[in-house]
mmCIF file of all heavy atoms in Angstrom:
data_model
loop_
_atom_site.group_PDB
_atom_site.id
_atom_site.type_symbol
_atom_site.label_atom_id
_atom_site.label_comp_id
_atom_site.label_asym_id
_atom_site.label_seq_id
_atom_site.Cartn_x
_atom_site.Cartn_y
_atom_site.Cartn_z
ATOM 1 N N GLU W 57 13.619 -7.981 6.997
ATOM 2 C CA GLU W 57 12.783 -9.028 7.606
ATOM 3 C C GLU W 57 12.986 -9.098 9.112
ATOM 4 O O GLU W 57 12.078 -9.425 9.853
ATOM 5 C CB GLU W 57 13.090 -10.382 6.965
ATOM 6 C CG GLU W 57 12.522 -10.510 5.574
ATOM 7 C CD GLU W 57 12.648 -11.915 5.019
ATOM 8 O OE1 GLU W 57 12.714 -12.884 5.803
ATOM 9 O OE2 GLU W 57 12.676 -12.032 3.793
ATOM 10 N N TYR W 92 6.084 -4.757 9.501
ATOM 11 C CA TYR W 92 7.028 -5.869 9.589
ATOM 12 C C TYR W 92 6.752 -6.871 8.473
ATOM 13 O O TYR W 92 5.683 -6.886 7.875
ATOM 14 C CB TYR W 92 6.930 -6.547 10.968
ATOM 15 C CG TYR W 92 5.590 -7.157 11.263
ATOM 16 C CD1 TYR W 92 5.362 -8.504 11.034
ATOM 17 C CD2 TYR W 92 4.546 -6.385 11.764
ATOM 18 C CE1 TYR W 92 4.118 -9.075 11.300
ATOM 19 C CE2 TYR W 92 3.307 -6.942 12.035
ATOM 20 C CZ TYR W 92 3.108 -8.288 11.796
ATOM 21 O OH TYR W 92 1.881 -8.837 12.050
ATOM 22 N N SER W 93 7.731 -7.695 8.214
ATOM 23 C CA SER W 93 7.606 -8.740 7.198
ATOM 24 C C SER W 93 6.966 -9.962 7.853
ATOM 25 O O SER W 93 7.332 -10.339 8.971
ATOM 26 C CB SER W 93 8.987 -9.090 6.656
ATOM 27 O OG SER W 93 8.887 -10.057 5.662
ATOM 28 N N THR W 94 6.001 -10.570 7.154
ATOM 29 C CA THR W 94 5.297 -11.711 7.741
ATOM 30 C C THR W 94 4.912 -12.719 6.662
ATOM 31 O O THR W 94 4.955 -12.421 5.477
ATOM 32 C CB THR W 94 4.035 -11.239 8.500
ATOM 33 O OG1 THR W 94 3.443 -12.351 9.180
ATOM 34 C CG2 THR W 94 3.021 -10.624 7.557
ATOM 35 N N LEU W 95 4.538 -13.890 7.100
ATOM 36 C CA LEU W 95 4.049 -14.934 6.212
ATOM 37 C C LEU W 95 2.571 -15.143 6.531
ATOM 38 O O LEU W 95 2.220 -15.526 7.643
ATOM 39 C CB LEU W 95 4.840 -16.232 6.425
ATOM 40 C CG LEU W 95 4.578 -17.361 5.459
ATOM 41 C CD1 LEU W 95 4.979 -16.970 4.039
ATOM 42 C CD2 LEU W 95 5.348 -18.600 5.873
ATOM 43 N N PHE W 96 1.706 -14.856 5.558
ATOM 44 C CA PHE W 96 0.268 -14.998 5.773
ATOM 45 C C PHE W 96 -0.117 -16.472 5.802
ATOM 46 O O PHE W 96 0.632 -17.338 5.365
ATOM 47 C CB PHE W 96 -0.515 -14.285 4.681
ATOM 48 C CG PHE W 96 -0.557 -12.784 4.835
ATOM 49 C CD1 PHE W 96 -1.165 -12.006 3.889
ATOM 50 C CD2 PHE W 96 -0.011 -12.141 5.929
ATOM 51 C CE1 PHE W 96 -1.230 -10.627 4.009
ATOM 52 C CE2 PHE W 96 -0.065 -10.769 6.078
ATOM 53 C CZ PHE W 96 -0.675 -10.017 5.110
ATOM 54 N N SER W 97 -1.323 -16.764 6.296
ATOM 55 C CA SER W 97 -1.802 -18.148 6.387
ATOM 56 C C SER W 97 -1.907 -18.804 5.013
ATOM 57 O O SER W 97 -1.875 -20.016 4.908
ATOM 58 C CB SER W 97 -3.153 -18.191 7.102
ATOM 59 O OG SER W 97 -4.095 -17.408 6.401
ATOM 60 N N SER W 98 -1.995 -17.994 3.953
ATOM 61 C CA SER W 98 -2.058 -18.535 2.590
ATOM 62 C C SER W 98 -0.679 -18.973 2.095
ATOM 63 O O SER W 98 -0.565 -19.549 1.022
ATOM 64 C CB SER W 98 -2.619 -17.471 1.639
ATOM 65 O OG SER W 98 -1.744 -16.352 1.591
ATOM 66 N N GLY W 99 0.366 -18.678 2.875
ATOM 67 C CA GLY W 99 1.721 -19.014 2.475
ATOM 68 C C GLY W 99 2.417 -17.873 1.745
ATOM 69 O O GLY W 99 3.581 -17.975 1.392
ATOM 70 N N LYS W 100 1.697 -16.775 1.536
ATOM 71 C CA LYS W 100 2.239 -15.620 0.820
ATOM 72 C C LYS W 100 3.035 -14.732 1.776
ATOM 73 O O LYS W 100 2.567 -14.387 2.855
ATOM 74 C CB LYS W 100 1.083 -14.827 0.202
ATOM 75 C CG LYS W 100 1.496 -13.577 -0.506
ATOM 76 C CD LYS W 100 0.269 -12.819 -0.994
ATOM 77 C CE LYS W 100 0.664 -11.441 -1.458
ATOM 78 N NZ LYS W 100 -0.468 -10.560 -1.654
ATOM 79 N N SER W 101 4.236 -14.362 1.361
ATOM 80 C CA SER W 101 5.051 -13.448 2.136
ATOM 81 C C SER W 101 4.590 -12.016 1.846
ATOM 82 O O SER W 101 4.371 -11.653 0.699
ATOM 83 C CB SER W 101 6.519 -13.617 1.754
ATOM 84 O OG SER W 101 7.308 -12.746 2.506
ATOM 85 N N SER W 102 4.431 -11.220 2.894
ATOM 86 C CA SER W 102 3.920 -9.867 2.715
ATOM 87 C C SER W 102 4.360 -8.992 3.877
ATOM 88 O O SER W 102 5.013 -9.451 4.802
ATOM 89 C CB SER W 102 2.391 -9.895 2.640
ATOM 90 O OG SER W 102 1.876 -8.593 2.458
ATOM 91 N N LEU W 103 3.969 -7.747 3.801
ATOM 92 C CA LEU W 103 4.157 -6.842 4.925
ATOM 93 C C LEU W 103 2.922 -6.903 5.801
ATOM 94 O O LEU W 103 1.821 -7.145 5.319
ATOM 95 C CB LEU W 103 4.340 -5.407 4.441
ATOM 96 C CG LEU W 103 5.608 -5.098 3.681
ATOM 97 C CD1 LEU W 103 5.652 -3.617 3.327
ATOM 98 C CD2 LEU W 103 6.826 -5.470 4.465
ATOM 99 N N GLY W 104 3.118 -6.664 7.070
ATOM 100 C CA GLY W 104 1.996 -6.618 7.996
ATOM 101 C C GLY W 104 2.090 -5.366 8.846
ATOM 102 O O GLY W 104 3.161 -4.782 9.006
ATOM 103 N N ILE W 124 -3.053 -6.884 13.412
ATOM 104 C CA ILE W 124 -1.742 -7.523 13.476
ATOM 105 C C ILE W 124 -1.623 -8.416 12.247
ATOM 106 O O ILE W 124 -2.283 -9.460 12.161
ATOM 107 C CB ILE W 124 -1.566 -8.360 14.751
ATOM 108 C CG1 ILE W 124 -1.792 -7.494 15.962
ATOM 109 C CG2 ILE W 124 -0.218 -9.055 14.737
ATOM 110 C CD1 ILE W 124 -0.818 -7.549 17.069
ATOM 111 N N GLY W 125 -0.812 -7.980 11.296
ATOM 112 C CA GLY W 125 -0.648 -8.744 10.057
ATOM 113 C C GLY W 125 -1.954 -8.822 9.292
ATOM 114 O O GLY W 125 -2.561 -7.811 8.962
ATOM 115 N N GLU W 126 -2.412 -10.059 9.047
ATOM 116 C CA GLU W 126 -3.658 -10.244 8.302
ATOM 117 C C GLU W 126 -4.879 -10.385 9.215
ATOM 118 O O GLU W 126 -5.980 -10.634 8.747
ATOM 119 C CB GLU W 126 -3.552 -11.472 7.396
ATOM 120 C CG GLU W 126 -3.425 -12.780 8.145
ATOM 121 C CD GLU W 126 -3.298 -13.980 7.242
ATOM 122 O OE1 GLU W 126 -3.844 -13.974 6.131
ATOM 123 O OE2 GLU W 126 -2.630 -14.940 7.660
ATOM 124 N N ASP W 127 -4.685 -10.174 10.520
ATOM 125 C CA ASP W 127 -5.770 -10.360 11.488
ATOM 126 C C ASP W 127 -6.272 -9.029 12.049
ATOM 127 O O ASP W 127 -5.487 -8.164 12.457
ATOM 128 C CB ASP W 127 -5.307 -11.234 12.649
ATOM 129 C CG ASP W 127 -4.896 -12.616 12.201
ATOM 130 O OD1 ASP W 127 -5.583 -13.171 11.323
ATOM 131 O OD2 ASP W 127 -3.879 -13.130 12.710
#
Side-chain angles (χ1 to χ4, degrees):
E57 286 188 26
Y92 62 96
S93 182
T94 186
L95 188 63
F96 283 177
S97 59
S98 63
K100 177 184 169 193
S101 180
S102 180
L103 292 182
I124 303 228
E126 66 181 329
D127 299 320

